[in-house]
Amino acid sequence: MTHGGDTIFGKIIRKEIPAQIVHETERVLAFRDINPVAPTHILIIPKKPIASIAAATAEDKELIGELLLEAAEVARREGLEEDGYRVVTNIGTHGGQTVFHLHLHIIGGRPCQWPPG
Ligand code: 5GP
């Protein structure tokens, strides 16, 4: 399996740069966002370098499921379940994506607005 890819998240996966890792499995990594937008802001990424959910294929079906379940598990462990939280993934320019390695944001610890900006 490929671990990483040519982005800042690839470097985090390979432990070339530090991150506050919350949970790690063979295929998925969860770590705290360096620039949190809420009291709890965690990123969940596959170790496989997929640019965004738009670049995922049928081959990634199980991995994407694992990513979502991991997000729910991390949120549970962070104590976010009772008040709720948001899981979001940004795609491309209009989506506000800045790192082109698929990631889910877990945002919690404060109410979120709807619709998002
Ligand atoms: P995007 O805008 O692509 O959806 O989200 C990228 C996220 O990655 C941003 O929230 C940004 O703060 C976070 N980020 C960018 N570089 C780093 C880094 O080096 N370490 C960590 N922990 N987070 C990062």
Side-chain angles (χ1 to χ4, degrees):
M1 180 193 293
T2 324
H3 280 186
D6 195 21
T7 68
I8 195 87
F9 291 174
K11 290 184 168 58
I12 289 174
I13 291 164
R14 294 188 299 272
K15 313 282 163 65
E16 291 166 9
I17 63 165
Q20 286 185 48
I21 293 173
V22 173
H23 192 62
E24 181 166 15
T25 72
E26 194 189 332
R27 302 202 300 172
V28 167
L29 186 68
F31 54 95
R32 296 193 191 279
D33 197 293
I34 204 167
N35 186 24
V37 300
T40 303
H41 187 173
I42 293 169
L43 302 172
I44 316 281
I45 68 173
K47 290 183 178 176
K48 180 179 176 182
I50 302 168
S52 77
I53 198 74
T57 68
E59 189 186 287
D60 303 313
K61 207 164 161 179
E62 210 176 308
L63 180 59
I64 302 303
E66 196 175 323
L67 213 58
L68 271 172
L69 291 173
E70 186 67 25
E73 181 57 32
V74 167
R76 196 171 298 125
R77 278 201 237 114
E78 291 283 318
L80 299 177
E81 206 171 59
E82 191 178 340
D83 287 338
Y85 56 95
R86 181 165 291 168
V87 176
V88 66
T89 189
N90 298 327
I91 298 136
T93 309
H94 281 191
Q97 187 176 11
T98 58
V99 178
F100 290 85
H101 182 122
L102 172 61
H103 50 283
L104 305 182
H105 295 256
I106 299 177
I107 295 166
R110 63 156 173 84
C112 291
Q113 304 300 312
W114 192 264

